[in-house]
Amino acid sequence: MTMWTSLDPSEVTVEPGARAGARLRVRNTGDTVEEYRLSLVGKPSGWSRVEPDVLRLYPGSEGTAEISFAPPRSSDVEAGPVAYGIRVDPRENAAARDVVEGRLTITPFTETRAELLPPALLGRFRGRARIAVDNLGNTPLTASLVARDDANRLTFDVRPNAVQIAPGRAAFGELVVRPQAVRWTGAEESHRFTVAVRRAGDDTALDLDGTFDQRPVFGNWLVIVGGLLLTAVIAFVVLWFNFSPKIVSAAKEIRATGAPRPVPQGTGEALPEAPPPPGGSGAPKPGGKAPGGPPPLTDGGPPPPGGGDGQGDDQGGAPPEGGQDGGGAPTEEAPEPGDGGNEQPPAPPADTPTPPPWVPGSPKDVIVEFAQERLANMSSTNPCRLQPGWSPGVIDTPTRNALACYQDAVYKDGVENQKNSAAIFETDDRGTLGRATLTSLWAQGISPDEVRVGGTSWETTQLTAAFWAAYNRDYSPTDFQRARTNAQYGIDHFRLGKDMTSRYSSQVEDKIRAYQAAVGLPATGTVDAATIKKLVGGSVM
C-alpha cells in the first residue's frame, strides 16, 4: 500500500432538508509524489459531494477532504441507514485503489396532504365524492378517514375508513353523503360537513371542509307546471258539466211539451232522397270525395297529408330555398312541382347540430365527450380532474364542476403567473363548453419543439384542432363534421392510446399566421410559446 486513509466519523445522522458532514484523511506512505482522486459511491452520491475531489501529496505528507451530505426533504429519500463509500484512486499506482466505507442514517419525517374531490356535492338523495390522501413523507403512512357534520343532519359512508400509503404514493377513499330527511319541495338546502384525515399515532387531524346542497324532489318548476295542469283539468271538467246539461235539458223539454216536430214544406212527410245533379257543380259524383274531405288515394301511392283541400297543410310544403332548415342543417331534397301533392314532405335531419356553447340540457355530442376524456385524463392530484360517474357526451353535474374548475385554474394561472392570455371568460360562461374552453383543452400539452415545419406528430393534430375551434365563430354542418372528427381523434388518443398524426404543412403555417394576426401576435407562421399561451388562455377569433 502506498497510502493510509481514515474516515471521521464513520457513522453520520442527517435530517432530510438539513446538512451533515464527515472528514476523510489520506496520507502518502510511498516515496513518490502521488495524486489521489476522490469520488462517492452508493445511494447518497446524488445529493452528496467531496471537496476537494483531488489531493496531491508529497511522500509522507497528509491531506484532508470534507464530505457533505444534504438529502432533500422528499419522499424519494427513505428513512433509515444507508451505506456509502469513498473511492480513492492513486494516479501513479492504480493497483493501490481503495474504498473507505461509511454509514449514513436518514431520520424520518412525515408530511400528509389530502383533498376532497369535489368539495361541493349536489343531489336529492345522496352525493358522492372521493378523498385523496398523499404521503409526502419518507415513511409508510396509515391514516383513518372520518366524516361528520355539526348539525347531525347527514349520514356518511366512507370506504375504506383507513388507508395505508407508501412514501410518495397516494390512496383514495369513497365518500357517500345522504340526508337524514328527504326534502320534497322548496328551495335547496346547504349542509356543511368535515372529513378528518388522522395519521396513526398522531392526535392532530387534517380537516377537509365540504358542502352538500340538497335539492328538493319536486322542484319549483314542477310544482308550477303541476298546478297549471291541475287548473286546466278543473277548468275542463267545469266547462264540460256546465255545457252538457243544456243539450240534455233541451231534448227533454221538447219530449215533455209534445210540441210538433217541424216538417219540410210540401206533403208534410220526409223529403225523398235528391237525385245526383248532372256532372259539373253541386254535389259530388258517386264515388267522388265529399267537399272538405281528404283527396282520393292515387294508384300505388301513399295517402297524402290531411288538409281538406288537397293542397297540403303548412307542414307539407317545400323547405326554404337552399335545401336547409332554419338551423342551417341540410335537409332532403324537396319534391318537384307538379307531383299532384301526393309526395310526403321531407323528414327533418336526424341529428341537428347544436352550436356552441354546450350547456346542461344540450343534446349528447361527441365534442362534449372529448372534453370529458381530456378532463378525466388529468393527473390524479389535479383538483379539476373529472372523476368517474359522468355521462358521456352531455354536460352533467360532474362535467359542469370539472369545466368550471378548469376555467378558473386557466384564468388564475394567466392573471397571477402570466402563463396564458386569461381570455377564457371573454366568450365562455363558467361551467359551459364554449369555443374558448374547447380551444384551451385542445392546446394543453402542446410543446413548440414538437410542432415544426415538415414534422409529423400527434401535437400537430392537436394544434389544427385547436385552431379549428378558435376559427369557427358560426358552426355550419361542415364545421361540425370536422370538429366531431377531431373530437373522435382526441377520444381515441386518451381512451385507446391511438394517435392520429398530422404533417406540419404550408396550410398549417397559413392557419397559424392568420391566428397570430387575429390575436395580436407577429404573423410568423411558426408556433412559439406566445402562440401556445394564447391558445391555452382561450383567445379565439
Side-chain angles (χ1 to χ4, degrees):
M1 293 290 291
T2 61
M3 64 179 174
W4 170 86
T5 58
S6 174
L7 183 62
D8 182 31
S10 60
E11 294 189 7
V12 179
T13 300
V14 63
E15 180 181 352
R19 185 181 295 272
R23 177 175 295 179
L24 176 68
R25 298 169 59 193
V26 180
R27 181 184 301 165
N28 184 358
T29 59
D31 53 1
T32 60
V33 177
E34 185 64 88
E35 183 178 276
Y36 301 95
R37 295 181 182 179
L38 312 178
S39 59
L40 272 164
V41 293
K43 286 187 177 181
S45 60
W47 33 264
S48 302
R49 58 188 304 178
V50 181
E51 291 183 343
D53 57 355
V54 176
L55 292 175
R56 185 178 180 85
L57 303 177
Y58 288 95
S61 64
E62 183 178 306
T64 61
E66 298 294 332
I67 300 96
S68 60
F69 304 97
R73 189 177 177 85
S74 169
S75 58
D76 295 332
V77 181
E78 297 183 2
V82 179
Y84 72 95
I86 303 174
R87 186 167 57 191
V88 183
D89 291 319
R91 181 175 181 181
E92 299 298 332
N93 190 5
R97 177 185 302 169
D98 188 20
V99 175
V100 184
E101 296 183 353
R103 184 174 182 177
L104 178 67
T105 301
I106 301 173
T107 61
F109 76 94
T110 60
E111 184 176 347
T112 306
R113 182 184 299 168
E115 274 187 289
L116 184 63
L117 305 172
L121 309 182
L122 183 66
R124 292 180 174 84
F125 303 103
R126 67 179 62 86
R128 297 180 182 273
R130 302 185 76 191
I131 307 168
V133 183
D134 295 294
N135 182 10
L136 304 181
N138 62 352
T139 58
L141 166 67
T142 300
S144 61
L145 310 177
V146 180
R148 68 180 187 277
D149 68 308
D150 296 335
N152 197 25
R153 304 186 66 180
L154 302 174
T155 58
F156 304 94
D157 184 12
V158 182
R159 296 183 182 178
N161 56 13
V163 292
Q164 293 183 345
I165 314 170
R169 299 293 183 178
F172 293 88
E174 301 292 335
L175 171 65
V176 179
V177 181
R178 293 184 177 87
Q180 294 185 3
V182 177
R183 191 173 185 84
W184 296 101
T185 58
E188 290 185 2
E189 184 176 4
S190 182
H191 305 279
R192 294 183 178 274
F193 64 91
T194 302
V195 178
V197 181
R198 180 174 286 105
R199 184 184 182 95
D202 191 352
D203 294 335
T204 61
L206 183 62
D207 291 338
L208 307 177
D209 295 327
T211 58
F212 174 67
D213 293 332
Q214 183 182 2
R215 284 182 171 180
V217 177
F218 302 108
N220 293 333
W221 66 271
L222 187 59
V223 174
I224 294 173
V225 172
L228 293 176
L229 290 176
L230 182 61
T231 302
V233 171
I234 294 174
F236 175 77
V237 172
V238 171
L239 291 175
W240 174 262
F241 281 102
N242 286 341
F243 179 73
S244 296
K246 295 180 180 180
I247 301 175
V248 176
S249 60
K252 290 182 178 179
E253 185 178 349
I254 293 175
R255 290 197 297 270
T257 57
R261 297 175 61 188
V263 295
Q265 297 180 359
T267 62
E269 301 295 336
L271 293 176
E273 183 178 356
S281 61
K285 295 181 181 181
K289 70 180 183 70
L297 298 176
T298 58
D299 293 339
D309 57 359
Q311 300 301 322
D313 56 13
D314 294 340
Q315 298 177 355
E321 182 178 358
Q324 296 184 352
D325 56 14
T331 61
E332 296 179 0
E333 184 178 356
E336 292 294 332
D339 59 0
N342 291 326
E343 290 289 335
Q344 289 286 357
D351 184 12
T352 302
T354 301
W358 290 270
V359 299
S362 296
K364 182 177 181 180
D365 202 304
V366 70
I367 299 176
V368 177
E369 190 172 353
F370 157 73
Q372 292 170 321
E373 287 289 343
R374 184 65 188 89
L375 293 170
N377 278 272
M378 291 184 173
S379 65
S380 59
T381 58
N382 194 318
C384 300
R385 182 181 184 184
L386 180 58
Q387 302 300 326
W390 44 274
S391 301
V394 295
I395 306 293
D396 53 10
T397 298
T399 304
R400 182 185 62 185
N401 293 339
L403 283 171
C405 177
Y406 174 80
Q407 292 166 331
D408 292 342
V410 169
Y411 180 78
K412 181 178 179 181
D413 205 22
V415 172
E416 297 182 358
N417 305 320
Q418 289 76 46
K419 291 188 176 181
N420 61 71
S421 61
I424 197 165
F425 287 129
E426 293 182 6
T427 57
D428 290 10
D429 292 332
R430 189 173 183 270
T432 67
L433 179 61
R435 294 193 305 122
T437 306
L438 188 60
T439 300
S440 178
L441 289 171
W442 270 118
Q444 286 289 344
I446 298 178
S447 171
D449 296 334
E450 299 293 336
V451 281
R452 295 190 178 275
V453 178
T456 301
S457 64
W458 159 248
E459 284 76 10
T460 305
T461 303
Q462 283 185 261
L463 184 68
T464 56
F467 285 139
W468 190 262
Y471 283 156
N472 293 285
R473 187 173 301 172
D474 299 320
Y475 270 57
S476 68
T478 304
D479 297 335
F480 260 100
Q481 183 61 36
R482 177 62 181 272
R484 285 171 173 167
T485 300
N486 291 336
Q488 191 59 55
Y489 292 157
I491 293 172
D492 292 343
H493 170 77
F494 291 111
R495 188 179 297 171
L496 306 177
K498 176 182 178 182
D499 291 344
M500 173 60 71
T501 58
S502 300
R503 184 176 180 272
Y504 195 123
S505 62
S506 59
Q507 294 179 348
V508 176
E509 284 189 89
D510 294 339
K511 292 180 179 180
I512 298 173
R513 192 175 290 109
Y515 176 79
Q516 290 170 331
V519 297
L521 296 175
T524 61
T526 302
V527 177
D528 52 12
T531 306
I532 299 299
K533 287 183 178 181
K534 288 285 187 178
L535 290 170
V536 173
S539 297
V540 297
M541 300 172 63

